[in-house]
Amino acid sequence: TKNQLADSLGIARSNLLRRFNGEVPWTVDEVEAAATVTGISFWDLMDRAKQRATQTQTQTTLKEQTK
């Protein structure tokens, strides 16, 4: 859960949510810890982040084009 992940990272749940929402960047150490806790490889997490960023950028571009 997010509470367990926040505990393992040594941060408050609210700070974890800021990272998930893109308000605060993740450190490499945090991504490595998240990978360990979730059982997802570091590189898989990085790939998922890249895909999400690309989707967000595409959505933003489409919104701007329809204005």
PDB file of all heavy atoms in Angstrom, residues 10-36:
ATOM      1  N   GLY A  10      10.647   6.374   4.339  1.00  0.00           N
ATOM      2  CA  GLY A  10      10.901   7.307   5.434  1.00  0.00           C
ATOM      3  C   GLY A  10      10.321   8.686   5.198  1.00  0.00           C
ATOM      4  O   GLY A  10      10.874   9.687   5.662  1.00  0.00           O
ATOM      5  N   ILE A  11       9.213   8.735   4.451  1.00  0.00           N
ATOM      6  CA  ILE A  11       8.559  10.010   4.177  1.00  0.00           C
ATOM      7  C   ILE A  11       7.085   9.901   4.548  1.00  0.00           C
ATOM      8  O   ILE A  11       6.534   8.807   4.659  1.00  0.00           O
ATOM      9  CB  ILE A  11       8.702  10.436   2.694  1.00  0.00           C
ATOM     10  CG1 ILE A  11       8.053   9.412   1.755  1.00  0.00           C
ATOM     11  CG2 ILE A  11      10.159  10.659   2.331  1.00  0.00           C
ATOM     12  CD1 ILE A  11       8.033   9.831   0.295  1.00  0.00           C
ATOM     13  N   ALA A  12       6.455  11.046   4.728  1.00  0.00           N
ATOM     14  CA  ALA A  12       5.023  11.078   5.025  1.00  0.00           C
ATOM     15  C   ALA A  12       4.232  10.668   3.784  1.00  0.00           C
ATOM     16  O   ALA A  12       4.685  10.859   2.646  1.00  0.00           O
ATOM     17  CB  ALA A  12       4.610  12.480   5.462  1.00  0.00           C
ATOM     18  N   ARG A  13       3.053  10.101   4.017  1.00  0.00           N
ATOM     19  CA  ARG A  13       2.196   9.684   2.904  1.00  0.00           C
ATOM     20  C   ARG A  13       1.879  10.880   2.000  1.00  0.00           C
ATOM     21  O   ARG A  13       1.829  10.745   0.773  1.00  0.00           O
ATOM     22  CB  ARG A  13       0.909   9.053   3.418  1.00  0.00           C
ATOM     23  CG  ARG A  13       0.065   8.429   2.322  1.00  0.00           C
ATOM     24  CD  ARG A  13      -1.130   7.668   2.907  1.00  0.00           C
ATOM     25  NE  ARG A  13      -1.793   6.880   1.909  1.00  0.00           N
ATOM     26  CZ  ARG A  13      -2.760   7.330   1.105  1.00  0.00           C
ATOM     27  NH1 ARG A  13      -3.147   8.592   1.185  1.00  0.00           N
ATOM     28  NH2 ARG A  13      -3.319   6.541   0.214  1.00  0.00           N
ATOM     29  N   SER A  14       1.682  12.043   2.587  1.00  0.00           N
ATOM     30  CA  SER A  14       1.391  13.237   1.782  1.00  0.00           C
ATOM     31  C   SER A  14       2.549  13.569   0.840  1.00  0.00           C
ATOM     32  O   SER A  14       2.326  13.976  -0.306  1.00  0.00           O
ATOM     33  CB  SER A  14       1.084  14.433   2.684  1.00  0.00           C
ATOM     34  OG  SER A  14       2.187  14.731   3.518  1.00  0.00           O
ATOM     35  N   ASN A  15       3.774  13.366   1.296  1.00  0.00           N
ATOM     36  CA  ASN A  15       4.941  13.598   0.427  1.00  0.00           C
ATOM     37  C   ASN A  15       5.026  12.544  -0.672  1.00  0.00           C
ATOM     38  O   ASN A  15       5.439  12.842  -1.795  1.00  0.00           O
ATOM     39  CB  ASN A  15       6.219  13.634   1.247  1.00  0.00           C
ATOM     40  CG  ASN A  15       6.323  14.891   2.077  1.00  0.00           C
ATOM     41  OD1 ASN A  15       5.802  15.927   1.697  1.00  0.00           O
ATOM     42  ND2 ASN A  15       6.972  14.800   3.222  1.00  0.00           N
ATOM     43  N   LEU A  16       4.635  11.322  -0.337  1.00  0.00           N
ATOM     44  CA  LEU A  16       4.607  10.265  -1.361  1.00  0.00           C
ATOM     45  C   LEU A  16       3.595  10.622  -2.441  1.00  0.00           C
ATOM     46  O   LEU A  16       3.873  10.488  -3.635  1.00  0.00           O
ATOM     47  CB  LEU A  16       4.266   8.916  -0.724  1.00  0.00           C
ATOM     48  CG  LEU A  16       4.144   7.746  -1.697  1.00  0.00           C
ATOM     49  CD1 LEU A  16       5.507   7.435  -2.323  1.00  0.00           C
ATOM     50  CD2 LEU A  16       3.586   6.525  -0.988  1.00  0.00           C
ATOM     51  N   LEU A  17       2.431  11.084  -2.029  1.00  0.00           N
ATOM     52  CA  LEU A  17       1.395  11.458  -2.997  1.00  0.00           C
ATOM     53  C   LEU A  17       1.856  12.608  -3.880  1.00  0.00           C
ATOM     54  O   LEU A  17       1.529  12.650  -5.067  1.00  0.00           O
ATOM     55  CB  LEU A  17       0.094  11.813  -2.275  1.00  0.00           C
ATOM     56  CG  LEU A  17      -0.573  10.650  -1.540  1.00  0.00           C
ATOM     57  CD1 LEU A  17      -1.819  11.132  -0.815  1.00  0.00           C
ATOM     58  CD2 LEU A  17      -0.894   9.512  -2.483  1.00  0.00           C
ATOM     59  N   ARG A  18       2.629  13.516  -3.332  1.00  0.00           N
ATOM     60  CA  ARG A  18       3.179  14.609  -4.154  1.00  0.00           C
ATOM     61  C   ARG A  18       4.103  14.063  -5.241  1.00  0.00           C
ATOM     62  O   ARG A  18       4.139  14.585  -6.356  1.00  0.00           O
ATOM     63  CB  ARG A  18       3.926  15.611  -3.273  1.00  0.00           C
ATOM     64  CG  ARG A  18       3.006  16.460  -2.453  1.00  0.00           C
ATOM     65  CD  ARG A  18       3.776  17.551  -1.708  1.00  0.00           C
ATOM     66  NE  ARG A  18       2.880  18.230  -0.803  1.00  0.00           N
ATOM     67  CZ  ARG A  18       2.947  18.129   0.524  1.00  0.00           C
ATOM     68  NH1 ARG A  18       3.898  17.416   1.098  1.00  0.00           N
ATOM     69  NH2 ARG A  18       2.080  18.759   1.273  1.00  0.00           N
ATOM     70  N   ARG A  19       4.831  13.023  -4.914  1.00  0.00           N
ATOM     71  CA  ARG A  19       5.698  12.401  -5.918  1.00  0.00           C
ATOM     72  C   ARG A  19       4.855  11.710  -6.998  1.00  0.00           C
ATOM     73  O   ARG A  19       5.115  11.853  -8.187  1.00  0.00           O
ATOM     74  CB  ARG A  19       6.658  11.411  -5.251  1.00  0.00           C
ATOM     75  CG  ARG A  19       7.790  12.122  -4.538  1.00  0.00           C
ATOM     76  CD  ARG A  19       8.501  11.215  -3.549  1.00  0.00           C
ATOM     77  NE  ARG A  19       9.641  11.859  -2.932  1.00  0.00           N
ATOM     78  CZ  ARG A  19       9.565  12.805  -2.004  1.00  0.00           C
ATOM     79  NH1 ARG A  19       8.393  13.234  -1.579  1.00  0.00           N
ATOM     80  NH2 ARG A  19      10.648  13.340  -1.495  1.00  0.00           N
ATOM     81  N   PHE A  20       3.828  10.969  -6.571  1.00  0.00           N
ATOM     82  CA  PHE A  20       2.955  10.302  -7.539  1.00  0.00           C
ATOM     83  C   PHE A  20       2.247  11.305  -8.441  1.00  0.00           C
ATOM     84  O   PHE A  20       2.004  11.016  -9.613  1.00  0.00           O
ATOM     85  CB  PHE A  20       1.911   9.429  -6.826  1.00  0.00           C
ATOM     86  CG  PHE A  20       2.419   8.062  -6.452  1.00  0.00           C
ATOM     87  CD1 PHE A  20       2.512   7.691  -5.122  1.00  0.00           C
ATOM     88  CD2 PHE A  20       2.787   7.141  -7.414  1.00  0.00           C
ATOM     89  CE1 PHE A  20       2.975   6.435  -4.762  1.00  0.00           C
ATOM     90  CE2 PHE A  20       3.248   5.886  -7.068  1.00  0.00           C
ATOM     91  CZ  PHE A  20       3.347   5.532  -5.750  1.00  0.00           C
ATOM     92  N   ASN A  21       1.911  12.462  -7.913  1.00  0.00           N
ATOM     93  CA  ASN A  21       1.211  13.485  -8.694  1.00  0.00           C
ATOM     94  C   ASN A  21       2.151  14.345  -9.529  1.00  0.00           C
ATOM     95  O   ASN A  21       1.707  15.226 -10.253  1.00  0.00           O
ATOM     96  CB  ASN A  21       0.388  14.388  -7.765  1.00  0.00           C
ATOM     97  CG  ASN A  21      -0.761  13.643  -7.138  1.00  0.00           C
ATOM     98  OD1 ASN A  21      -1.272  12.682  -7.695  1.00  0.00           O
ATOM     99  ND2 ASN A  21      -1.161  14.066  -5.951  1.00  0.00           N
ATOM    100  N   GLY A  22       3.459  14.116  -9.409  1.00  0.00           N
ATOM    101  CA  GLY A  22       4.427  14.859 -10.203  1.00  0.00           C
ATOM    102  C   GLY A  22       4.768  16.231  -9.647  1.00  0.00           C
ATOM    103  O   GLY A  22       5.417  17.024 -10.317  1.00  0.00           O
ATOM    104  N   GLU A  23       4.345  16.511  -8.420  1.00  0.00           N
ATOM    105  CA  GLU A  23       4.630  17.813  -7.814  1.00  0.00           C
ATOM    106  C   GLU A  23       6.052  17.875  -7.267  1.00  0.00           C
ATOM    107  O   GLU A  23       6.629  18.953  -7.177  1.00  0.00           O
ATOM    108  CB  GLU A  23       3.645  18.085  -6.674  1.00  0.00           C
ATOM    109  CG  GLU A  23       2.200  18.163  -7.123  1.00  0.00           C
ATOM    110  CD  GLU A  23       1.232  18.165  -5.954  1.00  0.00           C
ATOM    111  OE1 GLU A  23       1.614  18.598  -4.851  1.00  0.00           O
ATOM    112  OE2 GLU A  23       0.086  17.727  -6.148  1.00  0.00           O
ATOM    113  N   VAL A  24       6.585  16.719  -6.891  1.00  0.00           N
ATOM    114  CA  VAL A  24       7.936  16.616  -6.329  1.00  0.00           C
ATOM    115  C   VAL A  24       8.645  15.488  -7.072  1.00  0.00           C
ATOM    116  O   VAL A  24       8.085  14.404  -7.242  1.00  0.00           O
ATOM    117  CB  VAL A  24       7.873  16.286  -4.813  1.00  0.00           C
ATOM    118  CG1 VAL A  24       9.258  16.060  -4.239  1.00  0.00           C
ATOM    119  CG2 VAL A  24       7.142  17.381  -4.056  1.00  0.00           C
ATOM    120  N   PRO A  25       9.864  15.724  -7.537  1.00  0.00           N
ATOM    121  CA  PRO A  25      10.570  14.659  -8.262  1.00  0.00           C
ATOM    122  C   PRO A  25      11.038  13.536  -7.326  1.00  0.00           C
ATOM    123  O   PRO A  25      11.302  13.757  -6.144  1.00  0.00           O
ATOM    124  CB  PRO A  25      11.771  15.378  -8.877  1.00  0.00           C
ATOM    125  CG  PRO A  25      11.995  16.561  -8.002  1.00  0.00           C
ATOM    126  CD  PRO A  25      10.644  16.955  -7.458  1.00  0.00           C
ATOM    127  N   TRP A  26      11.106  12.347  -7.867  1.00  0.00           N
ATOM    128  CA  TRP A  26      11.637  11.188  -7.145  1.00  0.00           C
ATOM    129  C   TRP A  26      13.155  11.236  -7.213  1.00  0.00           C
ATOM    130  O   TRP A  26      13.732  11.614  -8.226  1.00  0.00           O
ATOM    131  CB  TRP A  26      11.183   9.894  -7.814  1.00  0.00           C
ATOM    132  CG  TRP A  26       9.729   9.588  -7.688  1.00  0.00           C
ATOM    133  CD1 TRP A  26       8.723  10.129  -8.423  1.00  0.00           C
ATOM    134  CD2 TRP A  26       9.130   8.660  -6.795  1.00  0.00           C
ATOM    135  NE1 TRP A  26       7.523   9.587  -8.035  1.00  0.00           N
ATOM    136  CE2 TRP A  26       7.746   8.682  -7.041  1.00  0.00           C
ATOM    137  CE3 TRP A  26       9.622   7.804  -5.814  1.00  0.00           C
ATOM    138  CZ2 TRP A  26       6.851   7.884  -6.333  1.00  0.00           C
ATOM    139  CZ3 TRP A  26       8.731   7.005  -5.122  1.00  0.00           C
ATOM    140  CH2 TRP A  26       7.363   7.047  -5.377  1.00  0.00           C
ATOM    141  N   THR A  27      13.815  10.808  -6.156  1.00  0.00           N
ATOM    142  CA  THR A  27      15.267  10.627  -6.208  1.00  0.00           C
ATOM    143  C   THR A  27      15.542   9.204  -6.679  1.00  0.00           C
ATOM    144  O   THR A  27      14.669   8.336  -6.613  1.00  0.00           O
ATOM    145  CB  THR A  27      15.917  10.837  -4.826  1.00  0.00           C
ATOM    146  OG1 THR A  27      15.479   9.775  -3.952  1.00  0.00           O
ATOM    147  CG2 THR A  27      15.566  12.194  -4.233  1.00  0.00           C
ATOM    148  N   VAL A  28      16.735   8.979  -7.146  1.00  0.00           N
ATOM    149  CA  VAL A  28      17.119   7.628  -7.572  1.00  0.00           C
ATOM    150  C   VAL A  28      17.011   6.664  -6.392  1.00  0.00           C
ATOM    151  O   VAL A  28      16.506   5.544  -6.546  1.00  0.00           O
ATOM    152  CB  VAL A  28      18.547   7.622  -8.168  1.00  0.00           C
ATOM    153  CG1 VAL A  28      19.027   6.204  -8.428  1.00  0.00           C
ATOM    154  CG2 VAL A  28      18.587   8.442  -9.445  1.00  0.00           C
ATOM    155  N   ASP A  29      17.435   7.098  -5.217  1.00  0.00           N
ATOM    156  CA  ASP A  29      17.342   6.238  -4.029  1.00  0.00           C
ATOM    157  C   ASP A  29      15.901   5.864  -3.723  1.00  0.00           C
ATOM    158  O   ASP A  29      15.614   4.728  -3.342  1.00  0.00           O
ATOM    159  CB  ASP A  29      17.971   6.925  -2.814  1.00  0.00           C
ATOM    160  CG  ASP A  29      19.484   7.029  -2.905  1.00  0.00           C
ATOM    161  OD1 ASP A  29      20.092   6.266  -3.703  1.00  0.00           O
ATOM    162  OD2 ASP A  29      20.056   7.865  -2.201  1.00  0.00           O
ATOM    163  N   GLU A  30      14.981   6.807  -3.892  1.00  0.00           N
ATOM    164  CA  GLU A  30      13.570   6.516  -3.642  1.00  0.00           C
ATOM    165  C   GLU A  30      13.024   5.517  -4.656  1.00  0.00           C
ATOM    166  O   GLU A  30      12.268   4.616  -4.293  1.00  0.00           O
ATOM    167  CB  GLU A  30      12.748   7.809  -3.670  1.00  0.00           C
ATOM    168  CG  GLU A  30      13.006   8.710  -2.487  1.00  0.00           C
ATOM    169  CD  GLU A  30      12.398  10.077  -2.632  1.00  0.00           C
ATOM    170  OE1 GLU A  30      12.078  10.508  -3.766  1.00  0.00           O
ATOM    171  OE2 GLU A  30      12.229  10.743  -1.588  1.00  0.00           O
ATOM    172  N   VAL A  31      13.403   5.669  -5.904  1.00  0.00           N
ATOM    173  CA  VAL A  31      12.947   4.728  -6.933  1.00  0.00           C
ATOM    174  C   VAL A  31      13.506   3.340  -6.653  1.00  0.00           C
ATOM    175  O   VAL A  31      12.801   2.333  -6.766  1.00  0.00           O
ATOM    176  CB  VAL A  31      13.319   5.204  -8.355  1.00  0.00           C
ATOM    177  CG1 VAL A  31      12.927   4.169  -9.392  1.00  0.00           C
ATOM    178  CG2 VAL A  31      12.656   6.541  -8.658  1.00  0.00           C
ATOM    179  N   GLU A  32      14.761   3.265  -6.252  1.00  0.00           N
ATOM    180  CA  GLU A  32      15.358   1.969  -5.916  1.00  0.00           C
ATOM    181  C   GLU A  32      14.635   1.331  -4.736  1.00  0.00           C
ATOM    182  O   GLU A  32      14.343   0.128  -4.752  1.00  0.00           O
ATOM    183  CB  GLU A  32      16.842   2.126  -5.600  1.00  0.00           C
ATOM    184  CG  GLU A  32      17.689   2.403  -6.819  1.00  0.00           C
ATOM    185  CD  GLU A  32      19.155   2.641  -6.497  1.00  0.00           C
ATOM    186  OE1 GLU A  32      19.489   2.999  -5.344  1.00  0.00           O
ATOM    187  OE2 GLU A  32      19.969   2.480  -7.415  1.00  0.00           O
ATOM    188  N   ALA A  33      14.310   2.127  -3.717  1.00  0.00           N
ATOM    189  CA  ALA A  33      13.585   1.603  -2.558  1.00  0.00           C
ATOM    190  C   ALA A  33      12.182   1.156  -2.956  1.00  0.00           C
ATOM    191  O   ALA A  33      11.703   0.108  -2.514  1.00  0.00           O
ATOM    192  CB  ALA A  33      13.525   2.654  -1.451  1.00  0.00           C
ATOM    193  N   ALA A  34      11.523   1.938  -3.791  1.00  0.00           N
ATOM    194  CA  ALA A  34      10.183   1.582  -4.260  1.00  0.00           C
ATOM    195  C   ALA A  34      10.226   0.276  -5.054  1.00  0.00           C
ATOM    196  O   ALA A  34       9.333  -0.565  -4.928  1.00  0.00           O
ATOM    197  CB  ALA A  34       9.597   2.703  -5.108  1.00  0.00           C
ATOM    198  N   ALA A  35      11.264   0.108  -5.852  1.00  0.00           N
ATOM    199  CA  ALA A  35      11.419  -1.127  -6.617  1.00  0.00           C
ATOM    200  C   ALA A  35      11.550  -2.323  -5.684  1.00  0.00           C
ATOM    201  O   ALA A  35      10.925  -3.372  -5.898  1.00  0.00           O
ATOM    202  CB  ALA A  35      12.629  -1.030  -7.546  1.00  0.00           C
ATOM    203  N   THR A  36      12.337  -2.171  -4.651  1.00  0.00           N
ATOM    204  CA  THR A  36      12.532  -3.254  -3.691  1.00  0.00           C
ATOM    205  C   THR A  36      11.228  -3.599  -2.985  1.00  0.00           C
ATOM    206  O   THR A  36      10.860  -4.772  -2.871  1.00  0.00           O
ATOM    207  CB  THR A  36      13.606  -2.861  -2.651  1.00  0.00           C
ATOM    208  OG1 THR A  36      14.830  -2.618  -3.349  1.00  0.00           O
ATOM    209  CG2 THR A  36      13.816  -3.954  -1.632  1.00  0.00           C
TER     210      THR A  36
END
